[in-house]
Amino acid sequence: MGVTKTEIFTEEQNRIADLAKAFAHPARVAILQMLIAKKSCVCGDLVGELNLAQATVSQHLKELKRIGIIHGEINPPRVCYCINPPVWEEARQAFGSLIESFNSVSCCA
């Protein structure tokens, strides 16, 4: 049996790649921007504000929840979503460290 691709990378590399998935689709970026702009949990009005189908929004919310960058609270008949601050900070630090690790050196000119 072969090794899965993720197994050859470190836990940190896999986590950074997973966090990057939160920003890898414009609909997910729009959802995150909306949650940030509201500065509170958003309950049920995502579909109307994003002009996307309910199924599309649900799929993106599911992925954002899986990553952990948002969390949802069930208040029947609605689910309220908001940014998960510890995971948002984890993403900020992970991407910041990666981006800042590059020293601008002309190597390919």
Side-chain angles (χ1 to χ4, degrees), residues 8-28:
I8 64 172
F9 300 104
T10 68
E11 187 176 324
E12 177 187 28
Q13 290 166 333
N14 280 301
R15 182 60 178 155
I16 291 171
D18 210 27
L19 289 167
K21 289 177 188 174
F23 303 95
H25 193 283
R28 289 194 287 271

Side-chain angles (χ1 to χ4, degrees), residues 33-105:
Q33 288 174 324
M34 183 184 304
L35 293 175
I36 290 166
K38 296 283 185 182
K39 296 182 179 155
S40 67
C41 287
V42 174
C43 301
D45 52 356
L46 288 169
V47 172
E49 291 193 41
L50 292 172
N51 260 346
L52 295 171
Q54 176 66 53
T56 301
V57 172
S58 293
Q59 186 62 35
H60 289 299
L61 288 169
K62 181 180 175 183
E63 183 66 8
L64 291 168
K65 277 187 71 175
R66 184 195 64 75
I67 294 163
I69 205 152
I70 67 168
H71 52 87
E73 185 176 299
I74 299 171
N75 275 332
R78 296 177 149 177
V79 179
C80 299
Y81 294 98
C82 56
I83 299 291
N84 185 352
V87 178
W88 188 265
E89 179 61 20
E90 177 190 4
R92 190 189 68 75
Q93 289 182 8
F95 295 131
S97 294
L98 178 62
I99 290 167
E100 290 181 14
S101 68
F102 175 73
N103 293 319
S104 183
V105 177

Side-chain angles (χ1 to χ4, degrees), residues 105-109:
V105 177
S106 179
C107 64
C108 298

